[in-house]
Amino acid sequence: MREIADKVFWIGKVDDRKVPFHRLVLEKGTSYNAYLIRDEKTALIDTVDMLYGKEFTDNLGKEMDLLTLDFIVINHTEPDHSGALGSLIRKAQNAKVVCTAFAVYELMEMYKIDKERFLVVRTGDTLNLGTKTLSFHETPFLHTEETMVTYLEEEKMLFTCDIFSTHIADNDRLLVSELEDEDSILEDFKVYYKLIMDPHRRYVLPMIDVVKKLDIRTIATSHGYILDQNVEKYMGIYEEAALQSKENVKALILYNTMSGNTKKMARILENELTEQGFIVESINTEKAELEEVLTKIQYADGILFGTSTKYADIPGNLEAILKELKELEVEGKPAAAFGSYGWSGEAVEVVQDYLVGAGMKALRSSDVIKSTGMSDISFPLRVRFNPENSTNEIKAAASVFADAIRF
Ligand code: FEO
């Protein structure tokens, strides 16, 4: 435990293994930074990876009577930050878990926590600890739906969990100001952005708007160094990258085709989106490598999935791609299903189920009607046999999709 500001302590874990993470290996390791604020009331901000959960709870128990812990703030539910909750919640029996509404169900399921242990917060809510005050600010989809950041007003300190983090393990230094050359982390900082945040880049500028309204002196991240100086530089890197993405919105069309009709639909969609100024790539999934397609999905701003229907099912290897979606960073990403069919067209509906199951923002007729008032465009977009007589409907659907992927 190390004091990093008045009554604020770092109590994390440096993980200097080659850490398996999101289909990658973190060659430089990482850290899981948690923070303890010991005011009249005591609040813990995030915890550590599940692997070190018991060790963390034991260490915290040596520093304080866990029954006096009042709040456990969980900014992000992934188990590399919430991982000690399972052991902690049973020992810190008086602590409330402070999180967004979206986080409650996940934490209840993961750690078997009773509903009454939660204190749900929304953007702008505050929590008085005595002489210090926390405020909470939702940052959805950075990088999962339930995320928020927590601001400690008196210390001008923002606890951002994954946001502005870097995957580096350093057993000697905690603060970026302790580095001989602060800029030596910039490459890793940008790689982290690319891997973790860029797939959700449409949510970066709204987050920047939120944090710019706060007077921030220190960004207390949950991986790597605490950014205790030049915070504008790090925020600027995120903002610049997101602004560049806004200029170059990428649509990806993946399709299979039996008789060529779904391919024709893909062409109409591609032409319309290209005319509207987007960068569009169409891929026949029968002619592409799985890994290549998954990478393209990761870096597209929105994806259209097209399928024919064969014996009420999805032909070819599109389904193998759909099965991988849950493993990718696609939560909240706009998507739509389309396809030509001859009899009942079940496959398009099955595709839709996969998109919803992966947490993508899959266009649905009811949402289109509610948001635009247009009742003549259907999503999933299904056309019987040859789409040539449905060109206008497909172009209109492309326009709705275009609106969904614009930043
Ligand atoms: Fe560092 Fe999304 O977990």
Side-chain angles (χ1 to χ4, degrees):
M1 203 152 95
R2 171 177 163 185
E3 190 163 18
I4 58 164
D6 178 45
K7 299 176 184 167
V8 183
F9 300 82
W10 175 89
I11 180 162
K13 172 76 185 178
V14 176
D15 189 351
D16 53 12
R17 298 171 304 147
K18 292 189 177 194
V19 183
F21 190 83
H22 285 251
R23 301 162 67 90
L24 297 168
V25 174
L26 306 177
E27 295 289 335
K28 294 184 181 176
T30 191
S31 65
Y32 315 105
N33 302 330
Y35 303 91
L36 188 67
I37 304 170
R38 304 184 89 163
D39 200 11
E40 288 163 25
K41 290 191 180 290
T42 306
L44 177 69
I45 313 277
D46 295 313
T47 72
V48 298
D49 189 87
M50 201 170 249
L51 193 61
Y52 306 105
K54 186 176 176 310
E55 175 187 321
F56 177 85
T57 300
D58 290 346
N59 286 343
L60 188 60
K62 287 176 196 156
E63 301 289 345
M64 63 178 291
D65 176 359
L66 292 178
L67 291 173
T68 65
L69 181 62
D70 297 289
F71 303 105
I72 305 168
V73 177
I74 297 290
N75 285 312
H76 169 42
T77 59
E78 277 204 315
D80 55 329
H81 305 292
S82 65
L85 260 186
S87 53
L88 187 56
I89 201 70
R90 281 157 192 86
K91 294 196 171 167
Q93 288 180 8
N94 299 310
K96 287 271 187 194
V97 178
V98 183
C99 62
T100 63
F102 286 112
V104 172
Y105 176 70
E106 291 169 12
L107 295 174
M108 280 173 68
E109 285 296 307
M110 285 197 288
Y111 302 109
K112 310 298 171 213
I113 304 171
D114 294 337
K115 205 170 180 181
E116 52 270 21
R117 297 291 301 270
F118 289 91
L119 174 63
V120 172
V121 290
R122 295 187 183 83
T123 292
D125 285 354
T126 58
L127 190 60
N128 195 321
L129 301 178
T131 65
K132 297 190 187 292
T133 312
L134 295 175
S135 66
F136 307 98
H137 307 270
E138 290 165 272
T139 53
F141 297 112
L142 290 178
H143 63 108
T144 47
E145 188 170 17
E146 82 297 340
T147 52
M148 65 175 188
V149 294
T150 298
Y151 182 61
L152 177 58
E153 207 174 296
E154 292 74 11
E155 299 304 320
K156 300 182 178 180
M157 185 175 282
L158 187 68
F159 301 95
T160 56
C161 203
D162 275 347
I163 303 168
F164 301 120
S165 279
T166 312
H167 283 310
I168 297 179
D170 188 335
N171 283 299
D172 303 318
R173 290 155 303 188
L174 193 55
L175 309 172
V176 79
S177 62
E178 294 171 329
L179 293 168
E180 226 168 81
D181 174 13
E182 181 190 341
D183 285 350
S184 63
I185 71 158
L186 284 187
E187 193 183 330
D188 289 306
F189 182 84
K190 289 175 185 173
V191 166
Y192 181 98
Y193 174 87
K194 189 77 186 158
L195 289 175
I196 310 296
M197 297 296 153
D198 192 53
H200 302 273
R201 53 193 171 271
R202 69 177 50 253
Y203 300 98
V204 170
L205 291 176
M207 177 276 291
I208 292 287
D209 284 345
V210 168
V211 299
K212 270 188 173 174
K213 289 184 188 129
L214 304 169
D215 182 11
I216 301 168
R217 188 167 55 208
T218 301
I219 297 176
T221 60
S222 282
H223 294 294
Y225 297 105
I226 296 167
L227 309 174
D228 63 327
Q229 60 186 22
N230 300 321
V231 293
E232 297 81 13
K233 174 167 66 179
Y234 299 101
M235 285 160 58
I237 289 170
Y238 271 44
E239 185 172 24
E240 192 184 326
L243 283 170
Q244 276 178 10
S245 303
K246 194 177 170 180
E247 309 262 298
N248 301 296
V249 181
K250 297 186 196 83
L252 177 65
I253 303 174
L254 301 173
Y255 66 92
N256 64 37
T257 194
M258 283 171 61
S259 61
N261 286 331
T262 298
K263 182 178 178 178
K264 283 181 189 168
M265 290 181 76
R267 287 282 170 270
I268 298 167
L269 291 163
E270 180 182 346
N271 290 340
E272 186 62 23
L273 289 168
T274 304
E275 266 187 30
Q276 294 206 21
F278 297 100
I279 299 164
V280 189
E281 184 173 11
S282 288
I283 297 176
N284 181 335
T285 53
E286 299 310 296
K287 298 177 181 171
E289 295 294 327
L290 178 65
E291 279 303 321
E292 182 196 359
V293 172
L294 297 181
T295 302
K296 287 180 188 291
I297 288 173
Q298 196 91 309
Y299 291 106
D301 292 292
I303 305 122
L304 288 150
F305 293 84
T307 184
S308 312
T309 296
K310 184 180 182 184
Y311 306 136
D313 216 340
I314 303 170
N317 56 24
L318 182 63
E319 192 158 12
I321 295 165
L322 294 164
K323 283 180 177 166
E324 293 291 328
L325 288 179
K326 277 189 175 172
E327 305 303 319
L328 303 179
E329 293 282 326
V330 295
E331 227 187 349
K333 190 172 281 196
F338 70 93
S340 163
Y341 67 99
W343 288 268
S344 41
E346 293 91 335
V348 186
E349 304 295 336
V350 177
V351 170
Q352 178 82 357
D353 289 346
Y354 274 109
L355 306 186
V356 172
M360 299 188 83
K361 202 190 267 182
L363 294 183
R364 298 182 310 165
S365 297
S366 64
D367 294 335
V368 175
I369 294 166
K370 281 183 273 184
S371 62
T372 67
M374 292 189 283
S375 57
D376 51 346
I377 301 169
S378 306
F379 280 106
L381 179 64
R382 296 162 9 116
V383 170
R384 194 154 186 229
F385 293 116
N386 195 322
E388 279 166 6
N389 293 330
S390 306
T391 303
N392 288 340
E393 182 193 340
I394 298 167
K395 282 184 174 179
S399 291
V400 171
F401 183 74
D403 288 341
I405 64 172
R406 248 181 220 110
F407 280 39

